[in-house]
Amino acid sequence: MKGCQNAIGQNEEDTALNIIESIDGLSMGAIVPNSVINADCLDAMKLLPDNSIDLILSDPPYFKVKKEKWDRQWDTSDGFLEWLDLVAEQWHRILKPNGSLYCFASPRMAA
């Protein structure tokens, strides 16, 4: 029901999930809370304001672990790590100071 509160006191309309299928034409700050964004992560994160995200859950490609195109985009592990550095810079920029980051990694890329 519209206007009802859930168990933690949030209004239903505050917790509705928004699916964004394309970021074409969107500008900085146009993405609303509780959104799932179907886009290249670097492009989408550039549209998010600094210190605006509570939780980042990421399962990036593992680099040549899978025989899928998405896991074989880079010629070298150095190229993959350079891309991952760009992603991490955006994570650092958009994550709130008290936010959480969960990143899955293959054993050979884990620290």
Side-chain angles (χ1 to χ4, degrees):
M1 291 175 65
K2 195 169 180 95
C4 289
Q5 290 189 336
N6 63 21
I8 57 174
Q10 295 174 314
N11 290 324
E12 268 187 15
E13 53 269 13
D14 293 339
T15 59
L17 191 59
N18 182 40
I19 308 294
I20 298 173
E21 291 292 339
S22 172
I23 60 171
D24 292 341
L26 291 181
S27 60
M28 173 72 90
I31 297 172
V32 298
N34 303 320
S35 294
V36 173
I37 306 162
N38 184 15
D40 180 279
C41 68
L42 286 174
D43 295 336
M45 286 190 291
K46 290 175 184 173
L47 296 175
L48 299 172
D50 296 356
N51 303 312
S52 63
I53 302 297
D54 292 306
L55 170 69
I56 297 172
L57 175 65
S58 182
D59 189 5
Y62 292 157
F63 183 64
K64 296 190 178 181
V65 172
K66 302 284 186 182
K67 293 183 183 199
E68 303 292 334
K69 183 180 176 182
W70 54 263
D71 198 35
R72 297 180 171 271
Q73 308 174 52
W74 305 273
D75 294 327
T76 65
S77 59
D78 286 342
F80 170 74
L81 292 173
E82 287 173 13
W83 170 81
L84 199 54
D85 280 345
L86 294 173
V87 173
E89 286 173 8
Q90 289 299 311
W91 288 341
H92 183 262
R93 182 185 67 77
I94 65 174
L95 194 63
K96 290 180 179 178
N98 63 343
S100 297
L101 168 67
Y102 296 89
C103 180
F104 299 96
S106 69
R108 71 178 186 189
M109 292 295 181

